[in-house]
Amino acid sequence: GENVEQHPSTLSVQEGDSAVIKCTYSDSASNYFPWYKQELGKRPQLIIDIRSNVGEKKDQRIAVTLNKTAKHFSLHITETQPEDSAVYFCAAFSWAGGTSYGKLTFGQGTILTVHP
Amino acid sequence: ETGVTQSPTHLIKTRGQQVTLRCSSQSGHNTVSWYQQALGQGPQFIFQYYREEENGRGNFPPRFSGLQFPNYSSELNVNALELDDSALYLCASSLQGNEPQHFGDGTRLSIL
């Protein structure tokens, strides 16, 4: 089955710096890669996603890049703010062959702390 | 547009008991997935429901079961509760499997 590795597990930056979180996946058939932000005690919130036919996607200060050959994808946050502090999860979607069933496999999460 | 709602928010049970958690999907979403999130971990896929049928299952034993109703709402049932079942249980809905999944606030289950 799919396996997603996420690094680093913790990331501390100064306000205004950039932050980069990296994930690798194992199933070359995975075709959809969302990123979620989870604040303490709250639901995971979808912040950006990318499909396998696209190499990069940007939404204001957030961007995601995908390298299908190397099977890795990254989240880039520019001009970080204290309110960006949270746990960030990457995930990969893969279909079970011959069925309409597919599932998301999540990374272990990155605790991002942005210091004012 | 109504988001994903889950109930109850918190629940305390003892070992061996049974529990039912509920989820109302986002308006128009026909696919519901359930996840278990242990403290400090990423969500782990339990199973998915599509058109009232279980459409796939992760590495969870049969004592984890579910239902989906005609209005696409869903239940997660866990029998013979164990201490390791203590976790945040998240429900996510989507239009179909590989469409964006939107999560509810979860049910925090504690087993004593």
Side-chain angles (χ1 to χ4, degrees):
Chain A
E2 175 67 280
N3 183 50
V4 177
E5 297 287 335
Q6 183 172 346
H7 300 281
S9 56
T10 60
L11 180 59
S12 183
V13 300
Q14 290 297 127
E15 183 176 2
D17 288 350
S18 294
V20 180
I21 302 170
K22 299 182 179 181
C23 290
T24 60
Y25 60 98
S26 61
D27 187 350
S28 57
S30 290
N31 61 6
Y32 171 64
F33 307 91
W35 285 88
Y36 287 86
K37 174 185 180 182
Q38 188 174 29
E39 297 178 50
L40 193 62
K42 295 191 177 181
R43 70 178 73 186
Q45 180 184 3
L46 179 67
I47 57 172
I48 196 166
D49 55 12
I50 192 167
R51 297 192 184 272
S52 58
N53 59 347
V54 176
E56 184 173 359
K57 183 177 178 180
K58 189 174 181 180
D59 182 4
Q60 299 183 336
R61 297 186 297 108
I62 295 174
V64 57
T65 58
L66 172 64
N67 183 326
K68 285 193 301 181
T69 303
K71 290 190 282 188
H72 67 69
F73 56 114
S74 300
L75 177 71
H76 304 253
I77 306 174
T78 58
E79 301 172 22
T80 54
Q81 301 166 4
E83 50 265 40
D84 293 331
S85 296
V87 181
Y88 290 80
F89 292 98
C90 63
F93 180 88
S94 54
W95 291 104
T99 73
S100 63
Y101 151 62
K103 70 172 187 177
L104 281 178
T105 301
F106 284 80
Q108 292 301 300
T110 296
I111 302 172
L112 174 64
T113 304
V114 181
H115 299 281
Chain B
E1 182 178 88
T2 305
V4 179
T5 59
Q6 292 186 243
S7 64
T9 54
H10 294 87
L11 206 50
I12 299 174
K13 292 285 188 179
T14 57
R15 280 184 300 172
Q17 286 189 310
Q18 178 266 342
V19 69
T20 297
L21 311 181
R22 295 179 174 83
C23 171
S24 293
S25 62
Q26 185 168 318
S27 178
H29 286 184
N30 57 20
T31 302
V32 173
S33 302
W34 285 91
Y35 296 85
Q36 180 193 68
Q37 186 176 26
L39 203 60
Q41 303 291 320
Q44 297 290 315
F45 176 76
I46 302 175
F47 45 53
Q48 180 182 94
Y49 276 84
Y50 173 67
R51 293 185 176 179
E52 302 178 54
E53 291 191 1
E54 185 179 295
N55 195 37
R57 170 179 282 264
N59 293 326
F60 282 82
R63 60 189 184 84
F64 286 77
S65 63
L67 286 172
Q68 186 179 34
F69 300 98
N71 65 354
Y72 305 133
S73 66
S74 178
E75 288 182 354
L76 164 65
N77 299 291
V78 187
N79 294 321
L81 287 166
E82 301 176 0
L83 293 177
D84 285 349
D85 295 334
S86 294
L88 179 67
Y89 288 84
L90 294 162
C91 162
S93 73
S94 58
L95 282 172
Q96 57 184 18
N98 67 340
E99 293 299 317
Q101 294 190 15
H102 298 274
F103 284 85
D105 286 330
T107 294
R108 174 72 61 187
L109 177 63
S110 299
I111 311 302
L112 303 179

mmCIF file of all heavy atoms in Angstrom, chain A residues 31-32 36 38 43-44 46 49 51 89 93 95 100-104 106-108, chain B residues 4 35 37 41-43 45 48 55-57 90 97-101 103-105:
data_model
loop_
_atom_site.group_PDB
_atom_site.id
_atom_site.type_symbol
_atom_site.label_atom_id
_atom_site.label_comp_id
_atom_site.label_asym_id
_atom_site.label_seq_id
_atom_site.Cartn_x
_atom_site.Cartn_y
_atom_site.Cartn_z
ATOM 1 N N ASN A 31 -2.392 10.054 -7.483
ATOM 2 C CA ASN A 31 -2.626 11.105 -8.469
ATOM 3 C C ASN A 31 -3.200 12.401 -7.894
ATOM 4 O O ASN A 31 -3.530 13.334 -8.629
ATOM 5 C CB ASN A 31 -3.565 10.587 -9.561
ATOM 6 C CG ASN A 31 -4.924 10.170 -9.027
ATOM 7 O OD1 ASN A 31 -5.238 10.367 -7.852
ATOM 8 N ND2 ASN A 31 -5.740 9.601 -9.885
ATOM 9 N N TYR A 32 -3.322 12.475 -6.570
ATOM 10 C CA TYR A 32 -3.886 13.678 -5.968
ATOM 11 C C TYR A 32 -3.202 13.883 -4.618
ATOM 12 O O TYR A 32 -3.093 12.942 -3.826
ATOM 13 C CB TYR A 32 -5.400 13.510 -5.809
ATOM 14 C CG TYR A 32 -6.080 14.594 -5.007
ATOM 15 C CD1 TYR A 32 -6.096 15.914 -5.457
ATOM 16 C CD2 TYR A 32 -6.717 14.302 -3.815
ATOM 17 C CE1 TYR A 32 -6.716 16.907 -4.719
ATOM 18 C CE2 TYR A 32 -7.338 15.293 -3.075
ATOM 19 C CZ TYR A 32 -7.331 16.585 -3.530
ATOM 20 O OH TYR A 32 -7.951 17.568 -2.810
ATOM 21 N N TYR A 36 -3.004 19.731 4.448
ATOM 22 C CA TYR A 36 -3.946 20.166 5.467
ATOM 23 C C TYR A 36 -3.195 20.893 6.580
ATOM 24 O O TYR A 36 -2.075 20.528 6.946
ATOM 25 C CB TYR A 36 -4.694 18.977 6.072
ATOM 26 C CG TYR A 36 -5.727 18.370 5.151
ATOM 27 C CD1 TYR A 36 -5.378 17.393 4.217
ATOM 28 C CD2 TYR A 36 -7.058 18.783 5.212
ATOM 29 C CE1 TYR A 36 -6.318 16.840 3.373
ATOM 30 C CE2 TYR A 36 -8.006 18.228 4.366
ATOM 31 C CZ TYR A 36 -7.636 17.261 3.456
ATOM 32 O OH TYR A 36 -8.582 16.726 2.622
ATOM 33 N N GLN A 38 -3.700 21.898 10.606
ATOM 34 C CA GLN A 38 -4.516 21.570 11.770
ATOM 35 C C GLN A 38 -4.028 22.354 12.979
ATOM 36 O O GLN A 38 -2.916 22.139 13.467
ATOM 37 C CB GLN A 38 -4.482 20.066 12.068
ATOM 38 C CG GLN A 38 -5.468 19.633 13.139
ATOM 39 C CD GLN A 38 -5.520 18.121 13.316
ATOM 40 O OE1 GLN A 38 -4.549 17.424 13.083
ATOM 41 N NE2 GLN A 38 -6.677 17.609 13.737
ATOM 42 N N ARG A 43 -10.219 20.986 13.422
ATOM 43 C CA ARG A 43 -10.255 20.045 12.301
ATOM 44 C C ARG A 43 -9.102 20.291 11.340
ATOM 45 O O ARG A 43 -8.614 21.426 11.218
ATOM 46 C CB ARG A 43 -11.582 20.213 11.543
ATOM 47 C CG ARG A 43 -11.690 21.537 10.774
ATOM 48 C CD ARG A 43 -13.004 21.643 10.004
ATOM 49 N NE ARG A 43 -14.120 21.865 10.893
ATOM 50 C CZ ARG A 43 -15.383 21.871 10.493
ATOM 51 N NH1 ARG A 43 -15.675 21.645 9.217
ATOM 52 N NH2 ARG A 43 -16.368 22.077 11.347
ATOM 53 N N PRO A 44 -8.647 19.268 10.627
ATOM 54 C CA PRO A 44 -7.711 19.503 9.522
ATOM 55 C C PRO A 44 -8.413 20.340 8.456
ATOM 56 O O PRO A 44 -9.534 20.032 8.052
ATOM 57 C CB PRO A 44 -7.415 18.093 9.001
ATOM 58 C CG PRO A 44 -7.775 17.180 10.119
ATOM 59 C CD PRO A 44 -8.927 17.838 10.810
ATOM 60 N N LEU A 46 -8.176 21.922 4.637
ATOM 61 C CA LEU A 46 -7.502 21.844 3.340
ATOM 62 C C LEU A 46 -7.008 23.235 2.941
ATOM 63 O O LEU A 46 -7.776 24.184 2.882
ATOM 64 C CB LEU A 46 -8.476 21.316 2.288
ATOM 65 C CG LEU A 46 -7.953 21.187 0.864
ATOM 66 C CD1 LEU A 46 -6.882 20.120 0.775
ATOM 67 C CD2 LEU A 46 -9.097 20.853 -0.102
ATOM 68 N N ASP A 49 -4.010 21.921 -2.820
ATOM 69 C CA ASP A 49 -3.848 20.567 -3.327
ATOM 70 C C ASP A 49 -3.297 20.622 -4.751
ATOM 71 O O ASP A 49 -3.321 21.671 -5.401
ATOM 72 C CB ASP A 49 -5.163 19.785 -3.274
ATOM 73 C CG ASP A 49 -6.319 20.477 -4.001
ATOM 74 O OD1 ASP A 49 -6.075 21.453 -4.745
ATOM 75 O OD2 ASP A 49 -7.477 20.061 -3.803
ATOM 76 N N ARG A 51 -2.776 18.030 -8.428
ATOM 77 C CA ARG A 51 -3.007 16.757 -9.112
ATOM 78 C C ARG A 51 -1.774 16.384 -9.908
ATOM 79 O O ARG A 51 -0.922 17.221 -10.205
ATOM 80 C CB ARG A 51 -4.248 16.852 -9.998
ATOM 81 C CG ARG A 51 -5.498 17.107 -9.171
ATOM 82 C CD ARG A 51 -6.787 16.940 -9.928
ATOM 83 N NE ARG A 51 -7.923 17.295 -9.083
ATOM 84 C CZ ARG A 51 -8.538 16.435 -8.280
ATOM 85 N NH1 ARG A 51 -8.138 15.177 -8.216
ATOM 86 N NH2 ARG A 51 -9.553 16.824 -7.530
ATOM 87 N N PHE A 89 -0.091 18.636 7.499
ATOM 88 C CA PHE A 89 -0.060 17.258 7.020
ATOM 89 C C PHE A 89 -0.107 17.228 5.499
ATOM 90 O O PHE A 89 -0.931 17.916 4.882
ATOM 91 C CB PHE A 89 -1.271 16.470 7.545
ATOM 92 C CG PHE A 89 -1.269 16.228 9.017
ATOM 93 C CD1 PHE A 89 -2.000 17.039 9.874
ATOM 94 C CD2 PHE A 89 -0.546 15.170 9.558
ATOM 95 C CE1 PHE A 89 -1.999 16.810 11.238
ATOM 96 C CE2 PHE A 89 -0.551 14.935 10.920
ATOM 97 C CZ PHE A 89 -1.283 15.755 11.762
ATOM 98 N N PHE A 93 -3.371 10.515 -2.508
ATOM 99 C CA PHE A 93 -4.557 9.722 -2.835
ATOM 100 C C PHE A 93 -4.190 8.660 -3.853
ATOM 101 O O PHE A 93 -3.568 8.947 -4.873
ATOM 102 C CB PHE A 93 -5.659 10.609 -3.408
ATOM 103 C CG PHE A 93 -6.907 9.843 -3.775
ATOM 104 C CD1 PHE A 93 -7.891 9.635 -2.832
ATOM 105 C CD2 PHE A 93 -7.063 9.300 -5.036
ATOM 106 C CE1 PHE A 93 -9.036 8.906 -3.150
ATOM 107 C CE2 PHE A 93 -8.191 8.576 -5.370
ATOM 108 C CZ PHE A 93 -9.178 8.380 -4.418
ATOM 109 N N TRP A 95 -5.865 5.054 -5.910
ATOM 110 C CA TRP A 95 -7.014 4.186 -6.178
ATOM 111 C C TRP A 95 -6.610 2.734 -5.941
ATOM 112 O O TRP A 95 -5.482 2.339 -6.239
ATOM 113 C CB TRP A 95 -7.442 4.302 -7.645
ATOM 114 C CG TRP A 95 -8.043 5.607 -8.041
ATOM 115 C CD1 TRP A 95 -7.440 6.600 -8.748
ATOM 116 C CD2 TRP A 95 -9.359 6.071 -7.766
ATOM 117 N NE1 TRP A 95 -8.303 7.648 -8.935
ATOM 118 C CE2 TRP A 95 -9.488 7.354 -8.354
ATOM 119 C CE3 TRP A 95 -10.453 5.527 -7.086
ATOM 120 C CZ2 TRP A 95 -10.667 8.102 -8.267
ATOM 121 C CZ3 TRP A 95 -11.620 6.279 -7.004
ATOM 122 C CH2 TRP A 95 -11.719 7.539 -7.590
ATOM 123 N N SER A 100 -13.774 1.392 -7.544
ATOM 124 C CA SER A 100 -14.017 2.830 -7.444
ATOM 125 C C SER A 100 -13.546 3.358 -6.102
ATOM 126 O O SER A 100 -13.856 4.477 -5.720
ATOM 127 C CB SER A 100 -15.515 3.117 -7.600
ATOM 128 O OG SER A 100 -16.230 2.498 -6.542
ATOM 129 N N TYR A 101 -12.803 2.537 -5.391
ATOM 130 C CA TYR A 101 -12.381 2.902 -4.032
ATOM 131 C C TYR A 101 -10.982 3.480 -4.063
ATOM 132 O O TYR A 101 -10.073 2.941 -4.697
ATOM 133 C CB TYR A 101 -12.445 1.651 -3.155
ATOM 134 C CG TYR A 101 -11.453 1.637 -2.020
ATOM 135 C CD1 TYR A 101 -11.503 2.601 -1.028
ATOM 136 C CD2 TYR A 101 -10.476 0.658 -1.938
ATOM 137 C CE1 TYR A 101 -10.589 2.589 0.010
ATOM 138 C CE2 TYR A 101 -9.555 0.640 -0.921
ATOM 139 C CZ TYR A 101 -9.623 1.606 0.053
ATOM 140 O OH TYR A 101 -8.720 1.602 1.064
ATOM 141 N N GLY A 102 -10.819 4.552 -3.359
ATOM 142 C CA GLY A 102 -9.505 5.131 -3.194
ATOM 143 C C GLY A 102 -9.404 5.743 -1.817
ATOM 144 O O GLY A 102 -10.412 6.004 -1.169
ATOM 145 N N LYS A 103 -8.213 5.984 -1.335
ATOM 146 C CA LYS A 103 -8.057 6.522 0.007
ATOM 147 C C LYS A 103 -6.892 7.497 0.091
ATOM 148 O O LYS A 103 -5.964 7.473 -0.721
ATOM 149 C CB LYS A 103 -7.831 5.397 1.012
ATOM 150 C CG LYS A 103 -6.482 4.700 0.880
ATOM 151 C CD LYS A 103 -6.260 3.739 2.038
ATOM 152 C CE LYS A 103 -4.853 3.182 2.014
ATOM 153 N NZ LYS A 103 -4.578 2.310 3.169
ATOM 154 N N LEU A 104 -6.965 8.349 1.085
ATOM 155 C CA LEU A 104 -5.874 9.255 1.403
ATOM 156 C C LEU A 104 -4.961 8.618 2.443
ATOM 157 O O LEU A 104 -5.445 8.077 3.436
ATOM 158 C CB LEU A 104 -6.406 10.562 1.984
ATOM 159 C CG LEU A 104 -6.972 11.611 1.043
ATOM 160 C CD1 LEU A 104 -7.485 12.809 1.843
ATOM 161 C CD2 LEU A 104 -5.924 12.065 0.035
ATOM 162 N N PHE A 106 -1.867 9.748 4.907
ATOM 163 C CA PHE A 106 -1.296 10.973 5.454
ATOM 164 C C PHE A 106 0.139 10.763 5.927
ATOM 165 O O PHE A 106 0.529 9.671 6.353
ATOM 166 C CB PHE A 106 -2.119 11.455 6.651
ATOM 167 C CG PHE A 106 -3.411 12.109 6.270
ATOM 168 C CD1 PHE A 106 -4.519 11.360 5.941
ATOM 169 C CD2 PHE A 106 -3.515 13.497 6.247
ATOM 170 C CE1 PHE A 106 -5.723 11.973 5.580
ATOM 171 C CE2 PHE A 106 -4.706 14.119 5.897
ATOM 172 C CZ PHE A 106 -5.802 13.356 5.561
ATOM 173 N N GLY A 107 0.913 11.844 5.848
ATOM 174 C CA GLY A 107 2.209 11.878 6.502
ATOM 175 C C GLY A 107 2.031 12.054 8.006
ATOM 176 O O GLY A 107 0.910 12.221 8.492
ATOM 177 N N GLN A 108 3.158 12.052 8.723
ATOM 178 C CA GLN A 108 3.108 12.107 10.185
ATOM 179 C C GLN A 108 2.935 13.522 10.725
ATOM 180 O O GLN A 108 2.705 13.689 11.920
ATOM 181 C CB GLN A 108 4.366 11.483 10.779
ATOM 182 C CG GLN A 108 4.453 9.986 10.548
ATOM 183 C CD GLN A 108 3.260 9.265 11.155
ATOM 184 O OE1 GLN A 108 3.038 9.327 12.344
ATOM 185 N NE2 GLN A 108 2.498 8.583 10.326
ATOM 186 N N VAL B 4 -19.231 19.796 7.187
ATOM 187 C CA VAL B 4 -19.297 18.488 7.828
ATOM 188 C C VAL B 4 -19.474 18.672 9.332
ATOM 189 O O VAL B 4 -18.720 19.423 9.960
ATOM 190 C CB VAL B 4 -18.021 17.678 7.548
ATOM 191 C CG1 VAL B 4 -18.083 16.317 8.232
ATOM 192 C CG2 VAL B 4 -17.807 17.526 6.044
ATOM 193 N N TYR B 35 -11.611 8.486 9.722
ATOM 194 C CA TYR B 35 -10.198 8.407 10.077
ATOM 195 C C TYR B 35 -10.050 8.375 11.600
ATOM 196 O O TYR B 35 -10.843 8.970 12.329
ATOM 197 C CB TYR B 35 -9.424 9.619 9.549
ATOM 198 C CG TYR B 35 -9.377 9.728 8.046
ATOM 199 C CD1 TYR B 35 -10.412 10.333 7.345
ATOM 200 C CD2 TYR B 35 -8.294 9.229 7.329
ATOM 201 C CE1 TYR B 35 -10.371 10.429 5.958
ATOM 202 C CE2 TYR B 35 -8.245 9.327 5.950
ATOM 203 C CZ TYR B 35 -9.287 9.925 5.281
ATOM 204 O OH TYR B 35 -9.232 10.027 3.911
ATOM 205 N N GLN B 37 -7.285 9.508 14.454
ATOM 206 C CA GLN B 37 -6.070 10.286 14.641
ATOM 207 C C GLN B 37 -5.605 10.174 16.094
ATOM 208 O O GLN B 37 -6.204 10.770 16.996
ATOM 209 C CB GLN B 37 -6.278 11.758 14.266
ATOM 210 C CG GLN B 37 -4.983 12.563 14.309
ATOM 211 C CD GLN B 37 -5.148 13.997 13.844
ATOM 212 O OE1 GLN B 37 -6.238 14.568 13.924
ATOM 213 N NE2 GLN B 37 -4.066 14.592 13.371
ATOM 214 N N GLN B 41 -0.093 12.096 15.754
ATOM 215 C CA GLN B 41 0.007 11.312 14.515
ATOM 216 C C GLN B 41 -0.884 11.904 13.424
ATOM 217 O O GLN B 41 -1.772 12.709 13.695
ATOM 218 C CB GLN B 41 -0.423 9.868 14.771
ATOM 219 C CG GLN B 41 0.363 9.163 15.857
ATOM 220 C CD GLN B 41 1.790 8.908 15.449
ATOM 221 O OE1 GLN B 41 2.070 8.543 14.303
ATOM 222 N NE2 GLN B 41 2.719 9.126 16.370
ATOM 223 N N GLY B 42 -0.641 11.461 12.202
ATOM 224 C CA GLY B 42 -1.533 11.817 11.110
ATOM 225 C C GLY B 42 -2.774 10.946 11.136
ATOM 226 O O GLY B 42 -2.784 9.872 11.732
ATOM 227 N N PRO B 43 -3.845 11.403 10.504
ATOM 228 C CA PRO B 43 -5.070 10.587 10.440
ATOM 229 C C PRO B 43 -4.814 9.256 9.731
ATOM 230 O O PRO B 43 -4.109 9.215 8.727
ATOM 231 C CB PRO B 43 -6.031 11.461 9.634
ATOM 232 C CG PRO B 43 -5.531 12.865 9.813
ATOM 233 C CD PRO B 43 -4.042 12.732 9.886
ATOM 234 N N PHE B 45 -6.694 6.033 7.852
ATOM 235 C CA PHE B 45 -7.938 5.687 7.170
ATOM 236 C C PHE B 45 -8.563 4.450 7.795
ATOM 237 O O PHE B 45 -7.912 3.402 7.914
ATOM 238 C CB PHE B 45 -7.627 5.457 5.694
ATOM 239 C CG PHE B 45 -8.777 5.004 4.853
ATOM 240 C CD1 PHE B 45 -9.760 5.903 4.459
ATOM 241 C CD2 PHE B 45 -8.878 3.686 4.444
ATOM 242 C CE1 PHE B 45 -10.817 5.488 3.657
ATOM 243 C CE2 PHE B 45 -9.920 3.268 3.653
ATOM 244 C CZ PHE B 45 -10.895 4.172 3.259
ATOM 245 N N GLN B 48 -14.402 3.848 4.030
ATOM 246 C CA GLN B 48 -15.095 4.843 3.222
ATOM 247 C C GLN B 48 -16.467 4.308 2.839
ATOM 248 O O GLN B 48 -16.621 3.105 2.575
ATOM 249 C CB GLN B 48 -14.293 5.130 1.963
ATOM 250 C CG GLN B 48 -14.890 6.157 1.024
ATOM 251 C CD GLN B 48 -14.024 6.311 -0.209
ATOM 252 O OE1 GLN B 48 -14.235 5.682 -1.240
ATOM 253 N NE2 GLN B 48 -13.004 7.150 -0.092
ATOM 254 N N ASN B 55 -16.923 1.078 0.863
ATOM 255 C CA ASN B 55 -16.253 1.131 -0.430
ATOM 256 C C ASN B 55 -14.748 0.924 -0.313
ATOM 257 O O ASN B 55 -14.012 1.115 -1.262
ATOM 258 C CB ASN B 55 -16.532 2.503 -1.052
ATOM 259 C CG ASN B 55 -16.205 2.565 -2.521
ATOM 260 O OD1 ASN B 55 -16.408 1.599 -3.249
ATOM 261 N ND2 ASN B 55 -15.693 3.693 -2.978
ATOM 262 N N GLY B 56 -14.297 0.516 0.845
ATOM 263 C CA GLY B 56 -12.865 0.312 1.061
ATOM 264 C C GLY B 56 -12.576 0.410 2.543
ATOM 265 O O GLY B 56 -13.274 1.123 3.277
ATOM 266 N N ARG B 57 -11.568 -0.310 3.007
ATOM 267 C CA ARG B 57 -11.251 -0.368 4.440
ATOM 268 C C ARG B 57 -9.747 -0.347 4.636
ATOM 269 O O ARG B 57 -8.999 -0.957 3.863
ATOM 270 C CB ARG B 57 -11.860 -1.626 5.046
ATOM 271 C CG ARG B 57 -11.436 -1.955 6.469
ATOM 272 C CD ARG B 57 -12.128 -3.221 6.963
ATOM 273 N NE ARG B 57 -13.502 -2.909 7.333
ATOM 274 C CZ ARG B 57 -13.900 -2.631 8.576
ATOM 275 N NH1 ARG B 57 -13.022 -2.609 9.556
ATOM 276 N NH2 ARG B 57 -15.167 -2.392 8.841
ATOM 277 N N LEU B 90 -12.240 11.340 13.035
ATOM 278 C CA LEU B 90 -12.579 12.366 12.053
ATOM 279 C C LEU B 90 -13.390 11.774 10.917
ATOM 280 O O LEU B 90 -13.118 10.674 10.441
ATOM 281 C CB LEU B 90 -11.305 12.989 11.486
ATOM 282 C CG LEU B 90 -10.449 13.798 12.451
ATOM 283 C CD1 LEU B 90 -9.050 13.981 11.893
ATOM 284 C CD2 LEU B 90 -11.088 15.159 12.705
ATOM 285 N N GLY B 97 -14.132 9.891 -4.503
ATOM 286 C CA GLY B 97 -12.894 9.551 -3.818
ATOM 287 C C GLY B 97 -11.757 10.518 -3.984
ATOM 288 O O GLY B 97 -11.122 10.922 -3.012
ATOM 289 N N ASN B 98 -11.463 10.939 -5.218
ATOM 290 C CA ASN B 98 -10.262 11.744 -5.422
ATOM 291 C C ASN B 98 -10.574 13.233 -5.529
ATOM 292 O O ASN B 98 -9.775 13.995 -6.028
ATOM 293 C CB ASN B 98 -9.505 11.272 -6.667
ATOM 294 C CG ASN B 98 -10.293 11.538 -7.928
ATOM 295 O OD1 ASN B 98 -11.507 11.729 -7.883
ATOM 296 N ND2 ASN B 98 -9.618 11.565 -9.052
ATOM 297 N N GLU B 99 -11.719 13.602 -5.027
ATOM 298 C CA GLU B 99 -12.046 15.017 -4.902
ATOM 299 C C GLU B 99 -11.653 15.497 -3.504
ATOM 300 O O GLU B 99 -11.493 14.675 -2.596
ATOM 301 C CB GLU B 99 -13.537 15.243 -5.149
ATOM 302 C CG GLU B 99 -13.965 14.970 -6.575
ATOM 303 C CD GLU B 99 -13.261 15.866 -7.577
ATOM 304 O OE1 GLU B 99 -13.119 17.083 -7.307
ATOM 305 O OE2 GLU B 99 -12.820 15.359 -8.618
ATOM 306 N N PRO B 100 -11.461 16.815 -3.336
ATOM 307 C CA PRO B 100 -11.048 17.319 -2.014
ATOM 308 C C PRO B 100 -11.965 16.820 -0.897
ATOM 309 O O PRO B 100 -13.184 16.860 -1.017
ATOM 310 C CB PRO B 100 -11.149 18.833 -2.188
ATOM 311 C CG PRO B 100 -10.880 19.049 -3.631
ATOM 312 C CD PRO B 100 -11.519 17.879 -4.336
ATOM 313 N N GLN B 101 -11.334 16.347 0.173
ATOM 314 C CA GLN B 101 -12.075 15.881 1.332
ATOM 315 C C GLN B 101 -12.081 16.976 2.390
ATOM 316 O O GLN B 101 -11.049 17.549 2.705
ATOM 317 C CB GLN B 101 -11.425 14.616 1.904
ATOM 318 C CG GLN B 101 -11.507 13.427 0.971
ATOM 319 C CD GLN B 101 -11.095 12.125 1.616
ATOM 320 O OE1 GLN B 101 -11.001 12.025 2.843
ATOM 321 N NE2 GLN B 101 -10.848 11.114 0.806
ATOM 322 N N PHE B 103 -13.074 17.951 6.312
ATOM 323 C CA PHE B 103 -13.220 17.282 7.591
ATOM 324 C C PHE B 103 -14.195 17.990 8.527
ATOM 325 O O PHE B 103 -14.373 19.216 8.475
ATOM 326 C CB PHE B 103 -11.867 17.207 8.302
ATOM 327 C CG PHE B 103 -10.947 16.161 7.730
ATOM 328 C CD1 PHE B 103 -10.149 16.459 6.641
ATOM 329 C CD2 PHE B 103 -10.902 14.897 8.275
ATOM 330 C CE1 PHE B 103 -9.301 15.498 6.109
ATOM 331 C CE2 PHE B 103 -10.061 13.928 7.751
ATOM 332 C CZ PHE B 103 -9.253 14.223 6.667
ATOM 333 N N GLY B 104 -14.781 17.178 9.407
ATOM 334 C CA GLY B 104 -15.529 17.719 10.532
ATOM 335 C C GLY B 104 -14.576 17.991 11.695
ATOM 336 O O GLY B 104 -13.376 17.753 11.596
ATOM 337 N N ASP B 105 -15.132 18.479 12.789
ATOM 338 C CA ASP B 105 -14.313 18.810 13.956
ATOM 339 C C ASP B 105 -13.864 17.581 14.734
ATOM 340 O O ASP B 105 -12.979 17.672 15.578
ATOM 341 C CB ASP B 105 -15.083 19.752 14.891
ATOM 342 C CG ASP B 105 -15.161 21.165 14.340
ATOM 343 O OD1 ASP B 105 -14.235 21.573 13.611
ATOM 344 O OD2 ASP B 105 -16.152 21.858 14.645
#
